Amino acid sequence: MKHLIDIENISKEDILNIINIAKEFKTGKKCSDVTGKTLALMFYENSTRTRCSFEIAAKKLSMNVINFDAGHSSLSKGESLKDTIENLYFLGVNAVIIRHSLSGIINNVLQLVKYPIKFVNGGDGTHAHPSQALLDFYTMIEKIGNVENKKITIVGDVSHSRVAKSNIALLSKFSADIHLCAPTYLQFENIEAFKVQYHNDVKEAIDGANVVMVLRVQNERHEKEGYPDSGEYKRLYEIDSKLLKQYAADDVILMHPGPANRNIEVSSELLDNQVGKTILEQAQNGVFVRMAILNTLLGDRNAS
Ligand code: CP
């Protein structure tokens, strides 16, 4: 694994390797192989979990961290992302985490940069969020052992979700029984390209589900303001304790990548009870999974 751009282009072996290393970091059995290396966080879109957990992960690995401030950088004078990254490499940066609103931009820049700096996609537009899918997978394995033939239902704003795409790519590699639930206007346009079962009806979608992953309604990516209507969306798709208890498996795991819109896609009472705690554990696991990603990309085996 030379970079982490999407899930489609990494192997099952790479994924399991990251999961195992993350577990060793979490249980204190592994030490850093990347002490003294330097990471730049290049976030052109807002973030709490991804940005902070990569920073904490790097610091736990005794790396140096640069919080690149795009607004005060020479990008504002017209410098390209390629030139910026090549300069960072010569300043001593070994890896960059990039979050950007443009789908595919990280892959494009990677093709242009001539020097062996490592790239990690921290979420690009509606394309991919691979480290999120890896931490979600880690959390599922921790909670339910494995995902093979388990019913995993993703509910919400699927059409705008890089998290859904990366999760589907990963869970498909491990033969999960994947279900998607959204109103038609928030569903993938090319649904037939994905090996999933699609539902409009949330009760049918979560019936017997082992995992219910709720997605945020991404208002900032909707072209028309006030669409979808939040009242109607809540009435038809909000996940709450009653719905989970009535339809999902008894030991269902509730997940959400965050940030959550309380009382729109998920009820506040569910977020604050014991079932909702898994969502915070997801964020916590993100630190160990991101330690494993950095250690794998920058450790001696993968050194450039
Ligand atoms: N899940 C996720 O990507 O959250 P942030 O936008 O806060 O990083």
Side-chain angles (χ1 to χ4, degrees):
M1 194 174 91
K2 291 211 174 323
H3 305 279
L4 180 61
I5 306 300
D6 56 33
I7 294 292
E8 286 80 351
N9 289 302
I10 58 171
S11 66
K12 272 177 86 170
E13 191 190 353
D14 284 333
I15 293 169
L16 291 174
N17 194 37
I18 288 170
I19 299 301
N20 289 335
I21 294 171
K23 192 170 173 189
E24 289 182 12
F25 278 128
K26 189 168 181 179
T27 52
K29 290 190 185 138
K30 182 155 180 63
C31 300
S32 174
D33 299 321
V34 294
T35 299
K37 299 218 168 160
T38 301
L39 178 70
L41 301 170
M42 305 181 78
F43 279 64
Y44 297 87
E45 231 190 26
N46 294 341
S47 166
T48 297
R49 280 147 289 267
T50 310
R51 182 177 195 131
C52 294
S53 61
F54 265 118
E55 180 165 355
I56 292 167
K59 287 179 174 166
K60 278 177 176 275
L61 292 168
S62 304
M63 294 178 69
N64 307 305
V65 182
I66 292 171
N67 267 294
F68 178 83
D69 181 353
H72 291 93
S73 73
S74 289
L75 287 163
S76 63
K77 299 177 207 163
E79 188 169 35
S80 70
L81 197 47
K82 165 194 153 39
D83 288 340
T84 305
I85 290 171
E86 290 189 344
N87 275 275
L88 288 178
Y89 176 74
F90 275 84
L91 294 178
V93 172
N94 304 102
V96 287
I97 314 294
I98 304 178
R99 170 168 289 192
H100 207 287
S101 59
L102 291 178
S103 304
I105 189 168
I106 300 162
N107 214 20
N108 291 350
V109 178
L110 170 62
Q111 309 302 326
L112 298 172
V113 169
K114 294 199 292 286
Y115 300 97
I117 192 165
K118 303 289 182 183
F119 280 74
V120 177
N121 183 351
D124 61 332
T126 59
H127 170 230
H129 197 348
S131 65
Q132 180 69 43
L134 288 164
L135 76 89
D136 290 341
F137 187 49
Y138 182 96
T139 306
M140 288 181 214
I141 289 177
E142 194 172 63
K143 296 282 178 188
I144 61 174
N146 67 72
V147 299
E148 191 175 345
N149 297 324
K150 298 277 169 60
K151 181 170 179 178
I152 296 171
T153 302
I154 302 174
V155 185
D157 187 351
V158 173
S159 59
H160 296 95
S161 181
R162 55 198 178 205
V163 173
K165 288 202 189 90
S166 289
N167 264 287
I168 292 167
L170 193 155
L171 294 169
S172 298
K173 287 182 195 273
F174 291 89
S175 307
D177 176 22
I178 310 168
H179 295 248
L180 293 186
C181 180
T184 306
Y185 56 84
L186 292 181
Q187 192 51 268
F188 290 135
E189 281 175 14
N190 55 340
I191 186 74
E192 59 289 343
F194 300 89
K195 284 193 194 130
V196 298
Q197 290 192 51
Y198 166 64
H199 309 264
N200 269 139
D201 180 61
V202 73
K203 292 170 185 157
E204 180 190 292
I206 68 168
D207 189 36
N210 304 99
V211 176
V212 173
M213 182 183 293
V214 186
L215 301 175
R216 183 171 69 88
V217 177
Q218 298 190 41
N219 290 311
E220 76 278 14
R221 296 192 207 278
H222 295 161
E223 282 167 22
K224 276 200 265 176
E225 209 175 313
Y227 180 81
D229 175 82
S230 55
E232 185 191 81
Y233 187 88
K234 177 181 168 65
R235 185 172 62 78
L236 294 174
Y237 293 100
E238 185 187 33
I239 303 294
D240 62 17
S241 296
K242 199 170 149 211
L243 203 61
L244 280 190
K245 205 165 178 174
Q246 197 170 350
Y247 293 98
D250 289 343
D251 53 355
V252 65
I253 308 301
L254 177 74
M255 301 181 79
H256 192 310
N261 295 309
R262 283 177 178 259
N263 297 322
I264 302 288
E265 73 261 2
V266 59
S267 73
S268 212
E269 53 80 25
L270 183 54
L271 284 176
D272 290 333
N273 75 22
Q274 201 54 30
V275 176
K277 195 174 162 218
T278 307
I279 293 168
L280 296 172
E281 291 168 355
Q282 265 177 275
Q284 183 181 52
N285 286 336
V287 173
F288 303 107
V289 169
R290 286 167 174 140
M291 286 173 80
I293 292 167
L294 295 172
N295 202 76
T296 302
L297 287 176
L298 294 169
D300 283 344
R301 259 186 60 186
N302 239 338
S304 306

